[in-house]
Amino acid sequence: MPRTRAIWRQVGHFLDAAAFVWIAALCSLATLWGTPAQAQTVTRPQAQATTQVQAPAGIQPQAERQGPPALEIPAPLAGQQERLIYHTGYTVSYNAAWRLPNWVAYELTPEETSGPAKRADRFIPDPTVPFHETAGTDDYRHSGFDRGHMAPAGDMKWSEQAMRESFYLSNICPQHPALNRGIWKRLEETVRRLAATRGSVYVVCGPLAADTARRLGGIGDRSGGQGVAVPHGFFKALLQYADGRWAAVAFTFDNAGSEKPLSDHTLTIDSLEILTGFDFFPTLPDSVETAVERETDPTWWGL
């Protein structure tokens, strides 16, 4: 019996030593593998402030824009739906409730007043707007309204991509044919002339609409039964540096034809801000913004 107990004592010592070796090996492997993922802490660098397109699932957003907004971009809207979308030739503040832009803004340089790109004439939904928030081409069919551009195709001839994107329905509003083909077109031509002869023009334009507006279409799943709001009017604001100073002018139109000269449709930027609730050209120095927005001279603009 004593010999048997001695043998078992030696076996126990052997097992203790083996267990120690096994535990040590496991500790070494844990060191090599590192701590479990859930216990790791990763410090990420702080991202720079950006403005990013909100894109629907499955669509890659466009490139983020870093730094201060461009000169033509109004201040963020308060109390109104807004989705900022950046395209090649213009920026849109999109209102899903109206299926319209709140505003469209762009800079037109002298070099961009002409180019080889042919008019696309293919109206399609903006691919960055969710399916259930966009207008459809059928909404305008037999409506009696034109699909009126805010950023005109005529200002996008410098780029085939910019031309194609100008036909996105996020850049389109229901316009009376007499307006779209009449005085609105004359103003677009005036802006191109000003840019070509005097330098860059900063443009902001859009509809004058309300939640109670008449609706077009609204049939089927795309528009969610809401349809496209019909604006009661339109606005356009211009800013330009020429002759050694900044100047600005605003225009408003009923959604109807007009035989009046463009000068009869002018008003100050201050007056347009009261009408729309928008803050135009907010990145101008305060002293310059105050001066150019409180007065306007149609003759300076050649009107």
Side-chain angles (χ1 to χ4, degrees), residues 26 29 59 75 77 84 96 115 133 154 172 224 248 269:
L26 287 176
L29 288 174
I59 295 179
L77 304 186
L84 287 184
E133 294 181 358
I172 302 299
I269 300 296

Side-chain angles (χ1 to χ4, degrees), residues 108-111 113 191-199 201 240:
L108 184 64
T109 69
E111 297 76 21
T113 57
V191 171
R192 279 193 286 277
R193 173 179 56 79
L194 289 166
T197 58
R198 299 204 306 195
V201 180
Q240 187 175 42

Side-chain angles (χ1 to χ4, degrees), residues 153-275:
D155 289 353
M156 304 294 155
K157 292 179 288 189
W158 51 276
S159 163
E160 290 185 1
Q161 182 172 343
M163 175 64 75
R164 287 193 302 271
E165 292 173 349
S166 74
F167 285 84
Y168 286 168
L169 292 176
S170 59
N171 182 46
I172 302 299
C173 294
Q175 280 190 326
H176 192 287
L179 173 66
N180 183 43
R181 307 171 199 181
I183 196 168
W184 188 257
K185 181 181 178 181
R186 296 209 313 270
L187 180 54
E188 292 173 345
E189 293 168 346
T190 298
V191 171
R192 279 193 286 277
R193 173 179 56 79
L194 289 166
T197 58
R198 299 204 306 195
S200 292
V201 180
Y202 302 90
V203 183
V204 190
C205 57
L208 299 172
D211 292 336
T212 56
R214 171 192 168 190
R215 301 283 177 151
L216 299 182
I219 300 173
D221 295 334
R222 175 180 291 281
S223 57
Q226 295 190 43
V228 181
V230 178
H232 61 266
F234 291 87
F235 71 86
K236 185 167 286 192
L238 307 179
L239 176 72
Q240 187 175 42
Y241 184 84
D243 301 331
R245 69 182 182 96
W246 287 100
V249 63
F251 301 82
T252 58
F253 307 91
D254 291 334
N255 197 358
S258 174
E259 298 300 325
K260 297 179 180 179
L262 283 169
S263 57
D264 284 5
H265 290 271
T266 61
L267 66 163
T268 66
I269 300 296
D270 279 345
S271 297
L272 183 61
E273 288 181 336
I274 294 171
L275 180 63

Side-chain angles (χ1 to χ4, degrees), residues 65 67-74 86 91 105-107 202 281-284:
R65 295 212 170 177
L71 193 58
E72 69 273 14
I73 304 299
Y86 299 104
T91 301
Y106 62 101
E107 176 189 1
Y202 302 90
F281 311 122
T283 58
L284 283 172

